Amino acid sequence: MSYKVEALPDSYAGLGEGPHWDVDRQSLYYVDLEVGVIHRYDFKQNKVYKAQIEGEAFASFILPIANRPQEFAVGCNRRCVVVQWDGVATVAKVLRVLFEVQPGLEDNRINDAKTDPRGRFVGGTMCCSGDIFTQWKGELYNWQAGGQVTKIRGEVGISNGLAWDVKAKKFYFIDTNTHEVVAYDYNVDTGAVANPKVVFDLRKIRPNTPLYPDGMTIDTEGNIYVATFNGGSVFKVNPSSGKILLEIKIPTTQITSVAFGGPQLDILYVTTANKFDQPVPAGTTYKVTGLNAKGLPGVPLKI
């Protein structure tokens, strides 16, 4: 298979994360995590707009809110806040806090988060001091409108990639520190998870320098796409067999997350990072075409 990797214009983020394709606006939203900046790539204009969130140093994810075109849920430290942004202005404003997790753990913050197929929040935390790859202070949660935050799982290292397969009734989750992708049986009506099973172990790929899995997405055929933070690649994997179907090589090392988008949902967008002085083009956001695969539309958060 011949695929093509191209940089998006002016798409740099020091720690790019959380790509989410918004069908209504034909735009890719993502964050520059450690500076509290949110981004919108306008497909038609082929242009990236960026906004600093007033008073915030972190923005770990961005999710459009259902039926509120200028409101987004954003992860700021341990809070999930509602941010107002018109998608063009260079400054965005926090309107209110939806919820907070682990309020007493000041060294922790929310990391990756997504909406499940019904519009629930699902996301988790990590410790961001010391050696983050050897600590297990994070948790995984869900939240839905009118309800309380529910802990799904404790003793998480770095809560990261999330994906759902509605047909197979599966939820896929990455804790970076385990080097694994775990599948759960998923009840889409309640958000309950059960029967965890490892479906992809990245330690088997390069045993001498184990790869750290980061963000993840899924295509319409149920294959998962796993970004590797220290591997320079995205792996397309059949989660039923654990077999690698394709290694998509990106021209920088720290691959953080992936999301399908574009008018036909057949473009794979890839965020990257420039941590610890990586060479150019680290931190660039890419599009990958020619994969002969399609993703699922991003689901807005219901509040």
Side-chain angles (χ1 to χ4, degrees), residues 225-257:
Y225 296 71
V226 180
T228 58
F229 184 75
N230 60 336
S233 295
V234 176
F235 289 97
K236 177 182 180 179
V237 177
N238 179 336
S240 298
S241 65
K243 181 182 177 183
I244 296 171
L245 304 178
L246 180 67
E247 180 177 358
I248 304 164
K249 295 184 178 181
I250 307 297
T252 186
T253 301
Q254 297 172 345
I255 316 304
T256 55
S257 196

Side-chain angles (χ1 to χ4, degrees), residues 198-213:
V198 176
V199 294
F200 186 45
D201 185 345
L202 283 82
R203 285 167 295 204
K204 294 178 180 177
I205 302 172
R206 298 176 197 167
N208 294 331
T209 54
L211 296 174
Y212 286 108

Side-chain angles (χ1 to χ4, degrees), residues 63-271:
L63 299 169
I65 293 175
N67 304 314
R68 301 188 186 191
Q70 295 193 6
E71 293 186 14
F72 301 84
V74 179
C76 297
N77 287 310
R78 293 172 305 284
R79 295 166 294 126
C80 177
V81 304
V82 176
V83 168
Q84 184 178 53
W85 187 37
D86 64 3
V88 176
T90 57
V91 176
K93 180 181 178 182
V94 175
L95 298 179
R96 62 189 181 281
V97 178
L98 278 179
F99 58 84
E100 184 177 8
V101 296
Q102 297 186 311
L105 291 180
E106 294 186 0
D107 286 343
N108 278 24
R109 64 164 173 80
I110 294 177
N111 199 40
D112 206 355
K114 286 187 181 178
T115 43
D116 82 350
R118 294 286 175 85
R120 291 183 191 89
F121 168 96
V122 182
T125 54
M126 61 175 281
C127 181
C128 47
S129 64
D131 184 355
I132 63 173
F133 297 108
T134 60
Q135 300 192 58
W136 305 89
K137 298 177 183 176
E139 295 176 332
L140 180 66
Y141 311 93
N142 68 18
W143 174 88
Q144 64 184 40
Q148 300 295 315
V149 177
T150 301
K151 184 169 80 172
I152 299 173
R153 173 174 160 173
E155 295 185 357
V156 172
I158 300 175
S159 185
N160 244 319
L162 313 119
W164 288 263
D165 186 331
V166 175
K167 290 183 208 166
K169 298 181 179 177
K170 294 292 183 184
F171 163 57
Y172 299 102
F173 174 64
I174 289 172
D175 178 347
T176 295
N177 291 1
T178 67
H179 306 278
E180 297 169 346
V181 180
V182 175
Y184 292 85
D185 294 336
Y186 194 75
N187 186 324
V188 76
D189 294 321
T190 65
V193 302
N195 303 319
K197 178 187 176 184
V198 176
V199 294
F200 186 45
D201 185 345
L202 283 82
R203 285 167 295 204
K204 294 178 180 177
I205 302 172
R206 298 176 197 167
N208 294 331
T209 54
L211 296 174
Y212 286 108
D214 202 323
M216 173 171 54
T217 193
I218 192 167
D219 67 21
T220 55
E221 296 181 348
N223 299 306
I224 55 174
Y225 296 71
V226 180
T228 58
F229 184 75
N230 60 336
S233 295
V234 176
F235 289 97
K236 177 182 180 179
V237 177
N238 179 336
S240 298
S241 65
K243 181 182 177 183
I244 296 171
L245 304 178
L246 180 67
E247 180 177 358
I248 304 164
K249 295 184 178 181
I250 307 297
T252 186
T253 301
Q254 297 172 345
I255 316 304
T256 55
S257 196
V258 285
F260 278 100
Q264 307 301 319
L265 296 172
D266 60 352
I267 300 169
L268 186 70
Y269 291 100
V270 181
T271 53

